[in-house]
Amino acid sequence: MHPQFLFLEMTIISAEELNLGSFPLKKNTFVTVHSGLQHHATTNIDKQGSSYPSWNEKFDIQLPRTVQYIAIEVKRQTLLGNVMTGMVNLPVTDFTKGYAAANHIHFLSYVLRDRYGVRKGIINLSIRVKE
């Protein structure tokens, strides 16, 4: 293995309470995963989950060890293009610090916020650092 990289298995599970202000989100949501300028993954579009979409999509990600955060963005597809609903910067230390057995799966949930810091829902995912 390459010591300069972390090899991750990330599963984007679902989201909860996605909203546009006081209105629940209707449909056509997807997730993008990136660190810095490097794009890692994009889920398929959930067309039925409304404000509680489910993806359950697994991705293998090669992450440089110098990266401190992974950006998770929930977007919705509209007639005018893709619009960000909410995002979170996931600290890499949330799943690399402390004791965990080899190949331990971390189930994580984070609050999604828009660019103004307003709460837009919750994202649920799992991450396993591969040995």
Side-chain angles (χ1 to χ4, degrees):
M1 286 222 181
H2 305 281
Q4 67 267 28
F5 292 100
L6 283 173
F7 294 90
L8 309 176
E9 179 183 273
M10 177 183 286
T11 303
I12 305 296
I13 300 170
S14 64
E16 304 171 31
E17 302 172 359
L18 294 181
N19 66 77
L20 297 170
S22 59
F23 301 102
L25 208 59
K26 296 291 184 195
K27 60 181 177 177
N28 294 340
T29 55
F30 63 98
V31 177
T32 62
V33 179
H34 59 273
S35 60
L37 298 175
Q38 184 177 8
H39 178 266
H40 296 291
T42 300
T43 65
N44 290 313
I45 295 172
D46 180 289
K47 295 184 182 281
Q48 300 174 358
S50 65
S51 59
Y52 290 82
S54 178
W55 298 280
N56 287 316
E57 291 187 42
K58 191 177 292 187
F59 302 101
D60 289 320
I61 295 173
Q62 182 176 316
L63 189 68
R65 287 192 183 269
T66 56
V67 169
Q68 295 179 342
Y69 296 93
I70 298 173
I72 309 285
E73 295 181 347
V74 175
K75 299 179 180 182
R76 69 185 191 285
Q77 186 180 54
T78 70
L79 293 175
L80 301 175
N82 298 329
V83 178
M84 188 181 74
T85 300
M87 61 118 25
V88 63
N89 284 320
L90 185 151
V92 173
T93 55
D94 281 5
F95 53 88
T96 58
K97 294 292 182 192
Y99 175 77
N103 294 311
H104 176 80
I105 297 175
H106 300 266
F107 288 93
L108 306 164
S109 296
Y110 292 93
V111 172
L112 296 164
R113 299 199 181 273
D114 67 11
R115 72 182 98 166
Y116 305 108
V118 176
R119 181 188 164 110
K120 292 296 177 178
I122 298 169
I123 185 82
N124 303 303
L125 55 103
S126 69
I127 296 178
R128 179 173 67 96
V129 179
K130 294 181 174 183
E131 296 267 330

